[in-house]
Amino acid sequence: MSLSLTKAFRTAGSTPAKGPGVLAGAPRLVRLAIPPFVTLAVILGIWLTITYVILAPERRFLMPPPHEIAKVGFLDPANRAQMLSALLLSTQVAMVGLVIATVIGVSVAVVMSQARAIERALYPYAVVLQTIPILALVPLIGFWFEFGFTSRVIVCVLIALFPLIANTLFGLQSVDAAHHDLFTLHGASRWERLVKLQFPAALPALFTGLRIAAGLSVIGAVVGDMFFMQGQPGIGTLLDLYRSRLQSEQLFAAIFLSSLLGIVVFSAFGLLGRLVVGSWSTFGGGSGRER
Amino acid sequence: MSASAEAVPATAAARSTSPSALRFEGVSKRFSTGTLALDAIDLTVDAGEFVSVVGPSGCGKSTLLRLASGLSQATAGAVVTGDVRVSYVFQDPTLLPWRTVLGNVELVGELAKLPRSERREKALRIIKLVGLEGFERQRPGQLSGGMQMRVSLARALLLDPGLFLFDEPFGALDEMTRERLGDELQQLFHSRRFAGLFITHSVAEAVFLSTRVVVMSARPGQIVADVEIPFDYPRSTELRFTPEFAKMTGVVSAALRRKGKGELT
Ligand SMILES: Nc1ncnc2c1ncn2[C@@H]1O[C@H](COP(=O)(O)OP(=O)(O)OP(=O)(O)O)[C@@H](O)[C@H]1O
Ligand SMILES: [Mg+2]
């Protein structure tokens, strides 16, 4: 029995069904980097095919080739400066919104965690906040707060708030009953229980929420730009402008930059989470053990 | 743990100046679900006594400890604890994963408002006592199960408890680790002479550690035997292999089989 099992295991192990086959022996970095590069090459291939084979020259602006995008969008100093300053503004909007959303979200979650009645009073509205299309509120926000920086930040806050409330609350409530018993036995006050037990226990969930919220906040900033055209242009403003002028190289470059911002923000908050709680929790896929 | 979720407590745990560290007087516990977990328990643990409780699974042993610690209230009778600090060692180490070994041990000192320097100094001494010197800055996730249990023991020792409650603390450990920790706990008891109430599934562990072993019946839990263990402290590991030891475990096992309806797991 055990012999045949071992055999079966060996056979399974030696089949290059996954992973170790093709790139075995290559350095780790190369092994990790090659598969995404292959994907990228395939995508570029399809892209160029569409541009040069499928599209007629007069319709080529629908899908300009990558090198044209780089040339017009990134290498032209005027375009580049315009886009980078817009990107900077959007980043500021997104981060200010995220900070405000974090402060509000964590506070609301802490308050909810202190009494069932408060949770029941507030949670339905937090869910409502999540379900109403924020876009539908945007004109109203513009009415009330003008069409500049403040309004853009408010859109970010509204869009990023729910994951922060929900994840923090989940974390605060995920504490073991035995840990609560320990604190009860030693006469811990409500405040000590919150600060020494619930809040640290909630940190991994809080960072999960923060990472999601950061991505949403970037979306909020870009969407807000498209509606609030006053003041300095954000990257979303430029997207709309390039679209209306059919400047497709710049449009593609701006799309690329906003995606990059989303990726950078998502990774940065993932990294921050790993730095803060990675040594003891499984945040971000780490084992929390072998460090 | 809300009192309203259970039936109205007849008598709350009271503190008195009685010499006993812990006294159960006709204590019953019925849960709101209707389960009668404990029925008319009378049990006294004096300072300097180490009492183990063995009994079939589900007979109310953990309930007994929760009552003793005040985490839960009796529905009849009285639980009286002397004027002593109570420490509770749970079945699981119950450590805070974000705190270091030192931080975990210091926690109860923080909650008891010990001055910082005193609690640091005591914690370091006790960590050394349980054999974890050099691991002060590690997190629980980096320790083995046995080491985590030592941290839990150290934490319980920090406040110099007069009454020590243990709920199967070594249940999840392998036999060798378990015996070694048993040896050390018995040494600790010998040097400090607190009052101990120790829940276990192992008759041998109960006999080795205790001055008395109490046998409980299946639910509703009642005390069906109370066996004095005559061996002197400190007890050596070899005691486990003597005929006298075998005889005592035989007595306890017989009581369990007679009344515990056999399902000792
Ligand atoms: N909070 C509760 N609500 C309702 N019933 C409970 C509760 N806690 C325990 N019980 C019941 O009381 C009885 C005794 O439980 P207890 O946990 O004290 O048993 P135990 O002797 O510690 O068992 P084990 O040896 O398996 O740990 C069980 O039948 C259990 O189902
Ligand atoms: Mg139990």
Side-chain angles (χ1 to χ4, degrees), chain B residues 106-152:
Chain B
E106 277 192 73
L107 172 72
V108 295
E110 290 169 33
L111 296 177
K113 313 279 185 297
L114 288 192
R116 191 188 185 81
S117 58
E118 182 187 342
R119 98 186 161 230
R120 172 64 47 98
E121 183 251 320
K122 274 185 101 169
L124 288 172
R125 191 152 38 82
I126 286 164
I127 288 169
K128 203 166 161 183
L129 183 73
V130 299
L132 285 177
E133 205 181 5
F135 292 94
E136 292 87 353
R137 303 284 161 193
Q138 306 255 353
R139 293 238 168 70
Q142 299 163 320
L143 304 179
S144 72
M147 289 159 90
Q148 292 182 19
M149 209 61 232
R150 282 166 203 262
V151 179
S152 180

Side-chain angles (χ1 to χ4, degrees), chain A residues 80-96 149 152 221 225 232-235 238 257 261:
Chain A
R80 187 175 60 207
Q82 186 180 37
M83 276 189 225
L84 286 183
S85 78
L87 190 69
L88 183 66
L89 180 80
S90 298
T91 311
Q92 281 167 355
V93 167
M95 290 305 108
V96 171
F149 192 84
R152 297 182 199 186
D225 281 343
Q232 293 214 305
I235 194 75
L238 290 188
L257 282 180
L261 177 60

Side-chain angles (χ1 to χ4, degrees), chain B:
Chain B
M1 189 78 256
S2 75
S4 61
E6 294 160 16
V8 184
T11 330
R15 289 188 172 268
S16 81
T17 49
S18 100
S20 309
L22 173 67
R23 204 164 63 241
F24 285 85
E25 295 168 355
V27 170
S28 299
K29 174 69 181 182
R30 187 183 289 281
F31 286 102
S32 55
T33 52
T35 310
L36 182 62
L38 294 173
D39 190 12
I41 298 283
D42 286 301
L43 176 68
T44 302
V45 183
D46 287 328
E49 274 196 303
F50 197 104
V51 178
S52 284
V53 179
V54 293
S57 191
C59 74
K61 303 183 296 293
S62 297
T63 306
L64 194 74
L65 281 198
R66 293 183 69 83
L67 290 173
S69 67
L71 279 175
S72 164
Q73 308 298 325
T75 41
V79 178
V80 185
T81 51
D83 202 12
V84 293
R85 277 193 207 268
V86 180
S87 270
Y88 198 136
V89 182
F90 301 93
Q91 173 153 14
D92 298 315
T94 320
L95 303 175
L96 303 179
W98 55 87
R99 285 192 173 224
T100 60
V101 167
L102 182 61
N104 267 287
V105 176
E106 277 192 73
L107 172 72
V108 295
E110 290 169 33
L111 296 177
K113 313 279 185 297
L114 288 192
R116 191 188 185 81
S117 58
E118 182 187 342
R119 98 186 161 230
R120 172 64 47 98
E121 183 251 320
K122 274 185 101 169
L124 288 172
R125 191 152 38 82
I126 286 164
I127 288 169
K128 203 166 161 183
L129 183 73
V130 299
L132 285 177
E133 205 181 5
F135 292 94
E136 292 87 353
R137 303 284 161 193
Q138 306 255 353
R139 293 238 168 70
Q142 299 163 320
L143 304 179
S144 72
M147 289 159 90
Q148 292 182 19
M149 209 61 232
R150 282 166 203 262
V151 179
S152 180
L153 264 180
R155 181 179 62 194
L157 279 165
L158 186 81
L159 297 179
D160 294 317
L163 174 61
F164 230 132
L165 306 171
F166 301 89
D167 194 353
E168 293 185 49
F170 310 144
L173 303 176
D174 64 277
E175 180 132 1
M176 258 166 60
T177 312
R178 193 174 175 141
E179 284 189 2
R180 207 166 54 233
L181 284 173
D183 285 348
E184 288 168 21
L185 180 57
Q186 172 273 136
Q187 281 284 353
L188 264 174
F189 173 68
H190 173 61
S191 57
R192 304 202 166 199
R193 289 289 161 163
F194 43 76
L197 186 59
F198 189 95
I199 308 293
T200 177
H201 273 135
S202 158
V203 171
E205 188 172 75
V207 170
F208 181 76
L209 289 172
S210 315
T211 55
R212 275 160 63 208
V213 177
V214 166
V215 179
M216 281 176 70
S217 67
R219 201 164 38 103
Q222 284 175 312
I223 292 178
V224 293
D226 195 331
V227 184
E228 289 275 346
I229 310 295
F231 310 119
D232 287 336
Y233 294 86
R235 297 173 176 176
S236 70
T237 308
E238 289 71 40
L239 175 68
R240 294 188 176 91
F241 311 111
T242 62
E244 294 78 16
F245 187 83
K247 204 179 124 224
M248 289 318 301
T249 56
V251 171
V252 174
S253 299
L256 254 180
R257 268 197 309 280
R258 231 177 311 123
K259 299 287 191 168
K261 302 187 182 132
E263 52 159 327
L264 185 71
T265 45

Side-chain angles (χ1 to χ4, degrees), chain A residues 160 163-164 167-168 204-214 283:
Chain A
L164 283 162
N167 281 281
T168 309
L206 196 161
F207 274 107
T208 305
L210 193 57
R211 196 166 52 174
I212 299 169
F283 180 83

